[in-house]
Amino acid sequence: MGTFEFKLPDIGEGVVEGEVVEWLVAVGDSIKEDDPILSVMTDKATVEIPAPCEGTVKSIVGEAGDILPVGAVCIVFEVEGDGNASEEKATAPAPAKEEKPAKKAAAATPAAPTLPPVEAAPAAAPVVRAAGTKALASPAVRQRARSANVDLQHVAGSGPAGRISHADLDRHIAGGASGASSARPMGGSAKVERNGTEDIKVIGLRRKIADGMMSSYSTIPHFSYFEEVDVTALEELRQHLNATRPEGAPKLTYLPFIMQALVKALEQRPECNALYDDEANVVTRHEAINLGIATQTDRGLYVPVVKHVEAMDIWSAATEMLRVTSATRDGKAGVEDLSGSTFTITSLGRLGGLGATPIINKPEVGILGVHNAKDRAVVRNGHVVVRRMMNLSSSWDHRVVDGHDGATLVQLVKTYLENPATIFM
């Protein structure tokens, strides 16, 4: 048997290091070539690193949240044959992450609640994780758990370091299906106090979001502007276009219309379609209109980009938006899909709300927030009538966008949406 040392590969142009988001394998696991072993986040994207060979995991370097430089050994395999490292080198002390038990809870913090016993327990005793310890599982197990609406934090794992296997997930689901319900009958036992706590380490995308939001809000003097839009005519047009849409075309939401309205509005207010380099004190106005679409995923908030919307009709804009947002939610979006925006739209969708103060996607100078459309009573020509209304929220970088400019942009969008035929003229 030999030892194979695998070094963190070059994962993108200009990338010199990556943050460990999640190890997809544990010490002792047998893996095959091209199996995903590690999820790494860079400043540009999150990527999964595949195994370079077939073998058994001997040691791994770093925990979630640690920064690994490109070219550093990140995992060591035991393989058939000679491998690529001498035994002396491979067994030398290194910051390898060996299998270790779950952390003990602090004395002042109550221990994590013990999970109910699982019927037909595996040969190896399941490991119950301490609070704040991430569940280990392969991508296939995680996908099955999401499909079954199962939180892996509540599943006991029988693999190395408590790793959850398909069999563990099957036992958990079977236990719930057989009546293991936490619901109490009406008039059941009295409620009890709960005093437990859980520490969540801010790492990966959550830390990137925190750093980005802090940088944006602390360095950009935001001002916000709100408006309501009568989208009654737009809704009628949307319904008509969906009923007569070309074969294979996606159903239109409001966003493709807003994207097309923004194209016309930004052409008239180019100062709003710009990036501000505050170190060089240079504002770069862009002819291309590349719209970022803030997209919530189970891994956090991403902003995939629909590029060159000025060259698209409404159907191609809707198709491309669906492609990049779907790829982002599925974790398949590449660096190209997640960079290059010149203006961002954030939609609260069905959550609605009357208003918000969206934080600018730095180094852009503006962002438009879209709330849900609903029927409301409004006054028209002295009469109370029911109209379909939508609220818009916007934020602007007051260093380079004056209040008049930001408000004018929103008013232009409002005019196009209330008179939707003009979007296509």
Side-chain angles (χ1 to χ4, degrees):
M1 301 292 287
T3 299
F4 188 96
E5 294 182 342
F6 180 58
K7 299 177 181 179
L8 186 67
D10 185 355
I11 47 183
E13 183 178 351
V15 175
V16 297
E17 62 185 15
E19 178 181 343
V20 176
V21 175
E22 177 186 12
W23 279 104
L24 307 175
V25 296
V27 173
D29 282 1
S30 295
I31 55 93
K32 295 181 179 180
E33 186 175 358
D34 293 331
D35 282 352
I37 57 174
L38 171 64
S39 179
V40 176
M41 171 175 287
T42 71
D43 289 335
K44 298 180 179 180
T46 299
V47 296
E48 283 190 354
I49 306 297
C53 60
E54 181 174 342
T56 302
V57 178
K58 190 173 182 180
S59 64
I60 58 180
V61 178
E63 300 179 330
D66 289 347
I67 304 297
L68 299 180
V70 170
V73 175
C74 60
I75 187 168
V76 178
F77 301 100
E78 189 175 76
V79 297
E80 296 287 345
D82 295 334
N84 68 351
S86 65
E87 190 63 26
E88 293 77 8
K89 179 180 177 182
T91 56
K97 177 188 167 189
E98 299 289 348
E99 184 178 353
K100 57 185 178 181
K103 299 178 183 177
K104 293 182 179 180
T109 304
T114 303
L115 297 174
V118 179
E119 293 185 7
V127 175
V128 180
R129 286 168 295 282
T133 305
K134 187 173 182 64
L136 293 176
S138 69
V141 171
R142 294 184 184 281
Q143 180 61 44
R144 282 192 59 210
R146 283 194 293 269
S147 300
N149 197 27
V150 172
D151 185 352
L152 288 179
Q153 289 298 116
H154 300 155
V155 180
S158 59
R163 186 175 179 80
I164 300 167
S165 66
H166 286 284
D168 296 325
L169 182 58
D170 290 337
R171 276 186 290 272
H172 181 84
I173 294 174
S178 62
S181 172
S182 61
R184 290 179 180 150
M186 188 175 296
S189 58
K191 296 182 178 180
V192 297
E193 291 184 356
R194 292 181 294 188
N195 298 301
T197 62
E198 182 181 8
D199 294 329
I200 307 297
K201 192 175 180 181
V202 180
I203 61 174
L205 180 63
R206 193 75 264 163
R207 184 163 70 187
K208 294 290 184 185
I209 293 173
D211 292 344
M213 293 298 100
M214 188 63 186
S215 174
S216 177
Y217 203 73
S218 61
T219 60
I220 296 177
H222 286 58
F223 80 88
S224 295
Y225 182 79
F226 309 93
E227 183 56 283
E228 62 177 8
V229 181
D230 186 339
V231 293
T232 305
L234 178 61
E235 173 63 12
E236 293 176 355
L237 176 60
R238 187 180 76 89
Q239 295 285 359
H240 171 72
L241 290 177
N242 280 335
T244 59
R245 70 184 187 276
E247 184 177 355
K251 293 190 71 171
L252 296 174
T253 63
Y254 287 109
L255 282 183
F257 293 96
I258 294 171
M259 293 165 68
Q260 294 293 313
L262 271 170
V263 167
K264 297 180 76 70
L266 288 171
E267 287 173 348
Q268 297 175 65
R269 308 303 309 188
E271 68 276 7
C272 298
N273 188 50
L275 304 180
Y276 180 32
D277 184 339
D278 49 9
E279 292 186 0
N281 283 322
V282 174
V283 177
T284 303
R285 296 182 179 183
H286 288 261
E287 291 185 349
I289 297 177
N290 301 333
L291 297 181
I293 309 295
T295 302
Q296 188 66 43
T297 75
D298 57 5
R299 304 175 309 283
L301 184 67
Y302 286 80
V303 185
V305 184
V306 181
K307 296 183 177 177
H308 291 290
V309 184
E310 78 280 1
M312 298 179 178
D313 61 20
I314 196 164
W315 298 110
S316 55
T319 300
E320 179 63 4
M321 181 185 71
L322 180 61
R323 184 191 71 79
V324 296
T325 56
S326 297
T328 299
R329 292 190 181 97
D330 293 340
K332 298 177 180 178
V335 174
E336 183 68 17
D337 291 331
L338 296 171
S339 59
S341 58
T342 59
F343 190 89
T344 293
I345 303 173
T346 178
S347 173
L348 296 175
R350 294 188 179 92
L351 294 178
L354 297 177
T357 53
I359 296 178
I360 295 168
N361 185 21
K362 190 178 180 181
E364 297 166 21
V365 299
I367 184 170
L368 181 69
V370 180
H371 302 269
N372 68 342
K374 61 181 68 174
D375 292 340
R376 297 207 301 260
V378 297
V379 177
R380 290 290 184 271
N381 299 320
H383 299 283
V384 176
V385 295
V386 176
R387 304 290 289 180
R388 194 155 187 82
M389 306 297 293
M390 171 191 290
N391 286 4
L392 300 177
S393 302
S394 64
S395 292
W396 305 94
D397 186 339
H398 217 328
R399 296 173 300 177
V400 294
V401 178
D402 294 332
H404 173 270
D405 299 330
T408 299
L409 187 283
V410 174
Q411 289 299 324
L412 284 169
V413 172
K414 170 185 171 79
T415 299
Y416 288 123
L417 296 179
E418 290 188 338
N419 303 276
T422 59
I423 294 175
F424 305 98
M425 294 174 61

